[in-house]
């Protein structure tokens, strides 16, 4: 399988992470990509440099004011003269009859849902590179590739149309799906990250043309806590095109595969002609953030299950944090996919 990758992700090197009131180094580090690259090398996958598509694909998913905020944020923050080394909001106005702020501190609060997406001097460049990786993979599928893997960093599935959060700024999976929509009338997004893909859900919640499915640790005990419940089914024209499958803490391989089978049944009923997989690897039993307990062999089985959809597929990297088996888990899922295809 061909894999798209850009080293420009390294410009985004966040430090701040608040865990139950304790500040620590974030788990979303550039080293993640190094371990994933090792997994690609072990699987003998061909690396492709991304094409720069510009703002167009991002603007099909994200609002103009949000993209403008991200592009200018660091310069505006730096101009304050007494600001910290990363942009972390001290207000979150939740937009209750609010007015869009003019000041960068207000904009930061307006466009971030939590403190887990600190913005630094290279964040915009890294996020844009990740979106180009996703769009390049989607374009390769449009051009005839059966399946392509996109090594995106920073990840994207927690990012809404105009909100950053949970390590995410631009929703790479949504951007890839929207790019596929140029030729595919109906696209499905299957999110297998341990965390609910709340941003992806929000972007397509009222859309009938993109079916969003997320298999994740139950938000009653796990981030994002307030989205990802089974009763969230879409709204308006999109009613019935969102499916959440929350899993109990510590769910292992066999029960995970049952959830994947339920997702497959629902997606087949939607009859899409292309698939985006939001490929989180943080459901691993060894992941530092994991609420689930999928083994490396379990990831191989997940890869086999994804291949059985038989659809043109873009696999977009989401979570998966520093563990000794991160690379092996990627090798396993892509290997399982190829073997079953």
């Amino acid at each position: 399988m061909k894999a798209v990758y850009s080293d420009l992700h390294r410009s985004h090197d966040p430090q701040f992470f608040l865990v139950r009131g304790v500040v620590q180094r974030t788990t979303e580090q550039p080293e993640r990509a190094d371990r994933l690259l090792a997994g690609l090398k072990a699987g003998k996958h061909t690396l492709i440099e991304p094409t720069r598509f510009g703002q167009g694909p991002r603007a099909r998913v994200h609002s103009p004011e949000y993209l403008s905020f991200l592009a200018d944020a660091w310069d505006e923050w730096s101009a304050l003269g007494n600001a910290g080394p990363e942009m972390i909001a001290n207000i979150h106005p939740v937009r209750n009859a609010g007015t869009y702020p003019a000041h960068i501190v207000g904009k930061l609060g307006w466009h971030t849902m939590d403190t887990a997406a600190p913005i630094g001097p290279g964040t915009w460049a890294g996020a844009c590179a990740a979106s180009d990786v996703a769009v390049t993979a989607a374009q390769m599928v449009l051009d005839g590739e059966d399946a392509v893997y996109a090594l995106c960093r920073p990840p994207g599935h927690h990012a809404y149309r105009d909100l950053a959060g949970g390590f995410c700024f631009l929703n790479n999976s949504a951007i890839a799906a929207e790019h596929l929509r140029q030729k595919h009338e109906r696209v499905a997004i299957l999110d297998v990250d341990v965390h609910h893909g709340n941003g992806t859900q929000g972007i397509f919640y009222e859309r009938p043309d993109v079916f969003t499915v997320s298999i994740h640790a139950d938000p009653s005990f796990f981030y994002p806590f307030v989205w990802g419940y089974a009763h969230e089914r879409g709204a308006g024209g999109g009613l019935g095109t969102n499916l959440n499958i929350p899993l109990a803490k510590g769910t292992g391989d066999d029960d995970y595969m049952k959830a994947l089978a339920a997702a497959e049944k629902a997606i087949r009923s939607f009859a899409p002609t292309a698939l985006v997989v939001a490929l989180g690897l943080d459901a691993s039993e060894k992941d530092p953030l994991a609420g689930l307990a999928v083994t490396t062999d379990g990831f191989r089985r997940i890869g086999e299950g994804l291949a059985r959809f038989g659809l043109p597929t873009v696999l977009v990297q989401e979570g998966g944090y520093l563990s000794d088996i991160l690379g092996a888990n990627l090798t396993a899922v892509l290997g399982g996919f190829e073997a079953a295809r």
Side-chain angles (χ1 to χ4, degrees):
M1 186 186 300
K2 292 177 181 176
V4 187
Y5 169 75
S6 170
D7 206 48
L8 292 176
H9 76 88
R10 297 185 191 282
S11 68
H12 175 62
D13 188 10
Q15 303 296 313
F16 182 93
F17 190 32
L18 187 64
V19 181
R20 299 177 182 177
V22 178
V23 176
Q24 54 189 255
R25 173 80 190 277
T26 182
T27 53
E28 209 295 280
Q29 301 174 22
E31 187 183 347
R32 291 181 59 229
D34 296 331
R35 299 195 184 196
L36 293 166
L37 283 170
L40 292 175
K41 182 178 180 180
K44 297 182 170 57
H45 300 284
T46 302
L47 288 182
I48 306 293
E49 284 282 331
T51 300
R52 293 193 178 188
F53 282 84
Q55 194 80 309
R58 299 188 280 271
R60 294 189 191 106
V61 168
H62 295 286
S63 72
E65 64 185 14
Y66 179 60
L67 292 173
S68 178
F69 159 73
L70 288 176
D72 298 336
W74 184 254
D75 288 342
E76 291 188 41
W77 181 259
S78 299
L80 295 175
N82 59 350
E86 291 184 303
M87 297 177 65
I88 302 158
N90 58 284
I91 63 161
H92 293 288
V94 299
R95 310 180 186 188
N96 186 11
T99 299
Y100 188 74
H103 195 280
I104 186 58
V105 173
K107 290 179 186 176
L108 179 60
W110 187 273
H111 288 301
T112 54
M113 72 182 103
D114 56 36
T115 60
I119 297 172
T123 296
W124 174 239
C128 287
S131 72
D132 282 335
V133 167
V135 177
T136 299
Q139 185 61 49
M140 291 169 67
V141 168
L142 289 178
D143 291 341
E145 291 287 341
D146 183 47
V148 180
Y149 167 74
L151 203 173
C152 294
R153 184 191 166 268
H157 72 149
H158 296 308
Y160 286 81
R161 182 172 182 266
D162 62 353
L163 278 169
F167 308 152
C168 301
F169 303 91
L170 298 173
N171 195 310
N172 306 310
S173 292
I175 291 169
E178 196 66 65
H179 195 72
L180 291 172
R181 280 280 295 111
Q182 293 179 99
K183 292 185 179 179
H184 292 274
E185 184 177 350
R186 298 160 76 81
V187 175
I189 302 176
L190 174 57
D191 193 320
V192 297
D193 192 280
V194 75
H195 304 96
H196 174 242
N198 55 307
T200 310
Q201 171 177 295
I203 288 167
F204 295 110
Y205 205 61
E206 298 186 14
R207 293 262 300 265
D209 54 335
V210 179
F211 187 28
T212 51
V213 181
S214 182
I215 305 171
H216 51 268
D218 192 328
S220 64
F221 72 88
F222 210 65
Y223 184 93
F225 298 106
V226 296
W227 301 282
Y229 294 88
H231 66 264
E232 298 163 13
R233 300 178 50 243
L239 183 63
T241 59
N242 186 81
L243 174 64
N244 290 326
I245 306 177
L247 301 177
K249 186 176 181 65
T251 293
D253 297 354
D254 291 343
D255 286 336
Y256 195 99
M257 294 308 298
K258 291 176 184 177
L260 185 60
E264 179 182 357
K265 181 179 179 180
I267 289 171
R268 288 194 184 282
S269 296
F270 181 72
T273 54
L275 176 68
V276 174
V277 177
L279 185 63
L281 298 172
D282 42 5
S284 167
E285 60 181 347
K286 300 294 185 182
D287 193 274
L289 298 184
L292 304 180
V294 176
T295 68
T296 298
D297 187 62
F299 280 107
R300 177 192 59 78
R301 294 169 64 188
I302 290 170
E304 291 175 346
L306 297 172
R308 283 195 291 270
F309 283 79
L311 295 170
T313 301
V314 181
L315 299 107
V316 177
Q317 187 63 51
E318 295 288 355
Y321 302 98
L322 298 184
S323 74
D324 292 339
I325 61 172
L326 177 59
N329 287 341
L330 179 60
T331 305
V333 72
L334 296 184
F337 187 100
E338 291 185 308
R341 203 71 151 178

